[in-house]
Amino acid sequence: RQSARLYYVQPVGSANKNQAGYRFDRNAAIDNTELYELNTANGIYEIQPDFTNLTDYERSIQAGYAIFGGEWKKFGYQAGIRGEYTDRVILFGQTGDTPFAVDRTDFFPSFHTSYQFPSGQQMMASYSRRIERPRGWWLEPFITFTDDFNVRSGNPDLLPEYIDSYELGFQTFFGKNVFSAETYYRVGNNRVERVRSVFAENITLRRPENVGTDYSLGSELMLNMDLTQKWNLNLLGNLYNYRIEGGLLEEAFERESFNWNMRFNNSLRGNRDLQIQANIGYNSDTVSSQGRREGFVNTSLAVKHSFLEQRLSATLQIRNLLGTEKFEQTSSGPGFSTFRTSDREHPSVML
């Protein structure tokens, strides 16, 4: 991996400044996947060529940006634009010498503004556009069996997701505590999901696909306060209407759900060397391009103790503390219908 960055800042008057920069990132990797099967006749593990693959991956991204921002009385503002050039080449040994190449230029504008009230309250509005690139292994088009009834593969033609986000927020302080509320509208183009289809009789294939466009309209609330000198409470809630539409397996679809998530974090200090954190969260039901995922609760506990004048520490983490992480998901398409469940009855402990 190689990277380089260059920054430039120019003050303009006492409250404004210009910023510019350049960034270069290059990643290269070779992945060699091999499958061996035991020959019971001679006791030797023999390579299986149909499931042995070589991937040569190289990607470079060059980005330049310009930002102007500052303050005028109680107003703060910042406007900018970032341009990115992506050069990516992937060679798959099994599929011949034809590369899967990307030669693409993208632009990402952004705008942020704020107003400071005399009482210390603040209102903010913003727009931004960002990109979510596919993970590397999502691009490898090789079949891998995960069990007797499921196979998976990647998709080298996968496009990145582009998200346009519009936000309006309000923040107020009372003592050292803070409360914020934000309303947002987000549009995601080229939405990526792992799609199921029929691979063979009683066997389904999971493959990442660009399924369409999703829309989220909702509000996010946050309260951070100190109940005592040693007890910090952080409560977050997110309520939004979610809709996804597009085309999949030669069929148009549109699904919608009202979603809500919450997270309740407690941080406690016993003394200078002891810290305790207990968290509980809930994720509601939500739809996808092919079905629905049911809601679930997650709980965790962490205890950290320092020794030897804080030069040594031990941390105990317990995830799924109450054994409530039960995932249920239904999906359907041409020629199949599936129900998947994963019931994690026991906590996981790490020291």
Side-chain angles (χ1 to χ4, degrees):
R1 180 174 181 177
Q2 300 168 324
S3 64
R5 302 183 186 183
L6 179 66
Y7 301 96
Y8 173 76
V9 179
Q10 178 191 31
V12 180
S14 60
N16 304 290
K17 62 182 177 181
N18 293 316
Q19 301 179 67
Y22 168 81
R23 176 170 176 169
F24 171 79
D25 287 288
R26 178 182 177 273
N27 292 289
I30 296 178
D31 294 337
N32 187 23
T33 304
E34 298 178 339
L35 176 67
Y36 291 83
E37 193 170 272
L38 178 64
N39 186 328
T40 56
N42 57 24
I44 298 176
Y45 282 93
E46 298 176 347
I47 194 167
Q48 306 298 304
D50 290 342
F51 296 95
T52 297
N53 310 291
L54 181 67
T55 303
D56 191 346
Y57 175 91
E58 183 175 335
R59 184 186 72 184
S60 63
I61 300 173
Q62 299 187 64
Y65 69 88
I67 300 173
F68 176 76
E71 298 177 355
W72 181 72
K73 296 183 178 179
K74 298 293 183 178
F75 285 95
Y77 50 86
Q78 179 176 289
I81 189 167
R82 187 177 83 253
E84 290 188 356
Y85 170 68
T86 301
D87 180 18
R88 191 196 74 195
V89 177
I90 306 177
L91 280 169
F92 303 110
Q94 191 187 55
T95 57
D97 297 327
T98 302
F100 287 84
V102 170
D103 185 358
R104 184 182 63 238
T105 301
D106 295 305
F107 293 96
F108 303 94
S110 64
F111 177 76
H112 303 269
T113 185
S114 64
Y115 180 78
Q116 191 82 29
F117 293 95
S119 58
Q121 299 169 334
Q122 189 177 35
M123 182 167 284
M124 301 149 287
S126 66
Y127 163 76
S128 62
R129 186 171 190 255
R130 62 181 188 269
I131 186 173
E132 293 285 346
R133 295 183 176 85
R135 303 173 185 177
W137 64 271
W138 279 20
L139 302 171
E140 300 180 4
F142 309 125
I143 296 295
T144 303
F145 275 83
T146 56
D147 54 48
D148 291 341
F149 306 104
N150 295 278
V151 298
R152 68 185 181 196
S153 80
N155 179 4
D157 294 319
L158 208 59
L159 299 173
E161 293 186 29
Y162 296 95
I163 300 100
D164 291 280
S165 181
Y166 307 82
E167 300 174 0
L168 177 65
F170 175 79
Q171 187 178 76
T172 184
F173 296 88
F174 47 102
K176 295 182 179 180
N177 308 310
V178 59
F179 171 78
S180 67
E182 178 183 275
T183 298
Y184 61 85
Y185 177 61
R186 294 170 188 152
V187 181
N189 296 288
N190 302 333
R191 168 69 177 172
V192 176
E193 289 190 5
R194 298 179 70 183
V195 172
R196 288 186 174 273
S197 61
V198 175
F199 179 75
E201 185 177 359
N202 291 328
I203 300 177
T204 59
L205 166 69
R206 294 188 74 189
R207 185 174 188 259
E209 300 279 0
N210 296 110
V211 298
T213 305
D214 65 354
Y215 307 86
S216 300
L217 173 63
S219 295
E220 196 168 65
L221 308 174
M222 189 274 291
L223 173 66
N224 192 321
M225 62 185 302
D226 293 324
L227 295 181
T228 68
Q229 288 186 343
K230 296 186 177 183
W231 183 6
N232 176 263
L233 178 150
N234 185 263
L235 180 62
L236 299 98
N238 187 15
L239 302 91
Y240 62 101
N241 187 76
Y242 180 74
R243 180 167 62 90
I244 183 169
E245 61 183 21
L248 190 61
L249 302 176
E250 301 181 355
E251 290 186 358
F253 71 88
E254 181 176 351
R255 291 187 170 87
E256 189 170 356
S257 63
F258 180 78
N259 298 0
W260 65 279
N261 309 320
M262 62 82 62
R263 192 165 73 246
F264 182 45
N265 303 330
N266 291 271
S267 298
L268 302 165
R269 280 187 174 273
N271 52 45
R272 189 172 71 99
D273 297 325
L274 179 64
Q275 300 176 50
I276 302 172
Q277 189 173 78
N279 304 326
I280 183 170
Y282 178 75
N283 293 277
S284 72
D285 306 353
T286 186
V287 295
S288 64
S289 62
Q290 291 188 301
R292 187 179 188 87
R293 191 216 68 212
E294 302 302 318
F296 63 94
V297 176
N298 56 72
T299 53
S300 64
L301 176 69
V303 180
K304 179 180 179 180
H305 198 286
S306 298
F307 306 90
L308 302 176
E309 298 295 327
Q310 298 188 341
R311 290 193 295 269
L312 177 70
S313 67
T315 302
L316 175 69
Q317 292 182 330
I318 306 176
R319 298 179 180 177
N320 193 24
L321 178 66
L322 303 179
T324 56
E325 291 188 8
K326 182 176 182 179
F327 301 93
E328 293 183 356
Q329 187 174 20
T330 57
S331 58
S332 61
F336 79 95
S337 178
T338 64
F339 170 77
R340 302 179 71 237
T341 181
S342 174
D343 192 355
R344 303 177 183 176
E345 297 179 352
H346 305 289
S348 62
V349 181
M350 181 170 62
L351 178 63

